Amino acid sequence: MITVKRLVCNMLQENTYIVSDETREAVIIDCGAYYDAERTAIVNYLTSNQLKPVHLLCTHGHFDHNFGNDTIWHTFGLKPEVAAEDEGMMELKTMFKELTGADYLGDIPPVGRLLATGECIHFGTHQLKVLSTPGHSRGSVTFYCEAEQAAFTGDTLFRMSIGRTDFEGGSWSDMSHSLKKVLAVLPADTTVYPGHGEPTTIGYELQYNPYMH
């Protein structure tokens, strides 16, 4: 049985997830903590529950999903893991400057490992399969736990919506394929944990999300 802790972070209301099981091993998905209170909350949750984070996973390289990587790096020694197509975005500063006009002053850890499509990320007694779901960015991935029927979709699929495709590296044709050929074929009762907004299920999105058809 997995436990999923969602923490809503930064000025873009991004979802950071901490996923753990009975072994107390955990993975952190999309650490978007920007403000000090958010960074402290993540560390406190991990330490107070005696969790051992073993992976820092990134659904994609956009800055709002990676602000807090330096805190995890400095506190737990984990470097971010991301698909090769998004590795260049992990530098954060350029895109942050382009979109906000401000300089990003945070520390930026080096990428620790590049994710391969189809590989399985292990923690405790569970595993997350890396599904390639480009469209929002070239390297967008979904982390799928088949045993628990849970999918962490980043900015590919939201409740009754989808991620933007007009950023650099975005593609509507890629997004459509990811939605209809990769995510839509998951079991209907799969819980979707999106990068922004509330959780949903594949079945609900197939019924109500116009982009899934």
Side-chain angles (χ1 to χ4, degrees):
M1 187 76 178
I2 60 171
T3 298
V4 179
K5 174 68 173 178
R6 176 171 69 113
L7 300 101
V8 181
C9 294
N10 69 56
M11 65 290 291
L12 295 180
Q13 299 291 286
E14 178 269 353
N15 290 330
T16 295
Y17 296 103
I18 301 171
V19 188
S20 58
D21 69 10
E22 64 280 355
T23 70
R24 299 193 187 278
E25 285 197 348
V27 296
I28 302 164
I29 300 175
D30 287 359
C31 190
Y34 182 78
Y35 303 106
D36 288 344
E38 297 167 351
R39 296 169 183 268
T40 300
I42 290 172
V43 173
N44 285 350
Y45 175 80
L46 289 162
T47 55
S48 65
N49 288 282
Q50 298 179 305
L51 299 179
K52 178 187 177 183
V54 293
H55 292 283
L56 173 56
L57 303 175
C58 310
T59 61
H60 63 296
H62 288 157
F63 60 75
D64 56 315
H65 292 254
N66 293 282
F67 281 136
N69 289 347
D70 56 340
T71 290
I72 305 305
W73 181 35
H74 292 312
T75 307
F76 301 103
L78 296 179
K79 298 175 184 177
E81 302 173 39
V82 66
E85 294 86 349
D86 276 14
E87 182 181 13
M89 286 194 289
M90 298 296 286
E91 187 269 339
L92 300 187
K93 293 185 178 182
T94 301
M95 189 177 185
F96 185 78
K97 179 75 170 181
E98 289 175 351
L99 291 182
T100 68
D103 291 322
Y104 180 66
L105 303 178
D107 200 4
I108 299 174
V111 171
R113 199 170 65 85
L114 299 177
L115 299 170
T117 299
E119 76 166 290
C120 290
I121 308 295
H122 295 270
F123 68 102
T125 61
H126 290 82
Q127 62 183 25
L128 297 169
K129 188 174 183 178
V130 179
L131 307 180
S132 178
T133 50
H136 182 65
S137 70
R138 293 187 185 93
S140 287
V141 300
T142 290
F143 298 107
Y144 176 53
C145 182
E146 183 177 7
E148 304 282 346
Q149 293 190 347
F152 299 86
T153 58
D155 286 1
T156 300
L157 178 62
F158 302 138
R159 185 178 184 274
M160 297 182 68
S161 188
I162 62 171
R164 293 173 59 170
T165 60
D166 58 339
F167 292 131
E168 182 181 354
S171 164
W172 167 246
S173 61
D174 286 348
M175 175 67 82
S176 182
H177 182 274
S178 295
L179 295 169
K180 299 173 184 178
K181 303 298 183 181
V182 181
L183 297 181
V185 301
L186 296 179
D189 56 354
T190 298
T191 301
V192 172
Y193 295 97
H196 302 269
E198 296 298 317
T200 182
T201 66
I202 292 294
Y204 185 90
E205 296 312 305
L206 285 171
Q207 186 171 0
Y208 295 109
N209 191 328
Y211 300 102
M212 296 288 281
H213 303 286

